[in-house]
Amino acid sequence: MDTTAIPAAEDTGTVEFRTTGYAHPDAQALSAEVQQEYVRRYGDPDETVLHPEDFEAPAGLFLIAYLDGRPVACGGWRAKQAGPHGLRDGDAELKRMFVIPDARGRGLARAVLRRLEETAVEAGRTRFILETGTEQPEAIALYGSEGYAAIQKFGIYREHPQSICLGKELAAAV
């Protein structure tokens, strides 16, 4: 298990990143919470099919941020290859970025995103791609502040008017 301890923002304790895999009980619990967040914001959960093996090296990674030992944030990426809708060899798709409500506003999402970018570069990925939605302004603001820009829509929601797809070249990012 890969662990990296970093000091969190002032008075928030210590954040530890653990590469857990998507099948880990904490990953499943946080994924269930993010699905409920989608239900609150969009009326339905994300129907994108995810398999635990999508997030196993070298094809992907899933990590959890623990704040003083408690799982509070997560995210993962899975390798993508060239295909329809602008997908390219070397792409890594960001999935299940989430911070629990009582841990928000501490920079955890940014820290998770940057760590995921680092691990994707280490695995030879050259671009991060993601899909978010209009009802997630916090996510849109975070990605924009980290250099993500609109790309061709992909995935099962590409025709949905609330879907937003973003990408960032990683080679120059890290």
Side-chain angles (χ1 to χ4, degrees), residues 114-129:
R114 288 180 178 173
R115 181 65 187 138
L116 289 170
E117 288 177 351
E118 290 170 7
T119 63
V121 168
E122 290 166 2
R125 301 281 112 190
T126 57
R127 182 175 74 152
F128 242 16
I129 61 172

Side-chain angles (χ1 to χ4, degrees), residues 67-173:
L67 180 60
D68 293 330
R70 183 172 67 117
V72 296
C74 65
W77 61 265
R78 61 183 181 174
K80 300 300 262 188
Q81 303 306 323
H85 313 294
L87 296 180
R88 305 186 321 214
D89 286 340
D91 282 351
E93 182 184 15
L94 183 66
K95 297 302 295 178
R96 296 297 184 258
M97 278 285 295
F98 180 68
V99 178
I100 64 170
D102 70 347
R104 292 178 183 163
R106 298 177 176 162
L108 293 169
R110 189 175 309 276
V112 168
L113 179 63
R114 288 180 178 173
R115 181 65 187 138
L116 289 170
E117 288 177 351
E118 290 170 7
T119 63
V121 168
E122 290 166 2
R125 301 281 112 190
T126 57
R127 182 175 74 152
F128 242 16
I129 61 172
L130 64 95
E131 181 181 28
T132 189
T134 59
E135 301 306 307
Q136 295 168 265
E138 313 92 330
I140 295 166
L142 169 66
Y143 298 131
S145 73
E146 288 292 318
Y148 287 77
I151 61 171
Q152 182 178 349
K153 287 185 172 186
F154 66 95
I156 66 171
Y157 296 106
R158 68 185 168 278
E159 302 297 329
H160 198 284
Q162 291 178 306
S163 173
I164 297 171
C165 291
L166 304 171
K168 177 181 176 180
E169 298 297 327
L170 291 176

Side-chain angles (χ1 to χ4, degrees), residues 21-105:
Y22 190 63
H24 188 279
D26 290 341
Q28 289 298 297
L30 288 167
S31 291
E33 285 192 56
V34 74
Q35 288 287 38
Q36 288 307 304
E37 186 79 20
Y38 298 146
V39 169
R40 282 191 292 282
R41 292 182 188 222
Y42 299 101
D44 293 302
D46 179 0
E47 298 293 333
T48 304
V49 175
L50 300 179
H51 301 286
E53 59 270 15
D54 292 343
F55 300 96
E56 293 177 6
L61 179 133
F62 198 88
L63 66 83
I64 297 174
Y66 291 82
L67 180 60
D68 293 330
R70 183 172 67 117
V72 296
C74 65
W77 61 265
R78 61 183 181 174
K80 300 300 262 188
Q81 303 306 323
H85 313 294
L87 296 180
R88 305 186 321 214
D89 286 340
D91 282 351
E93 182 184 15
L94 183 66
K95 297 302 295 178
R96 296 297 184 258
M97 278 285 295
F98 180 68
V99 178
I100 64 170
D102 70 347
R104 292 178 183 163

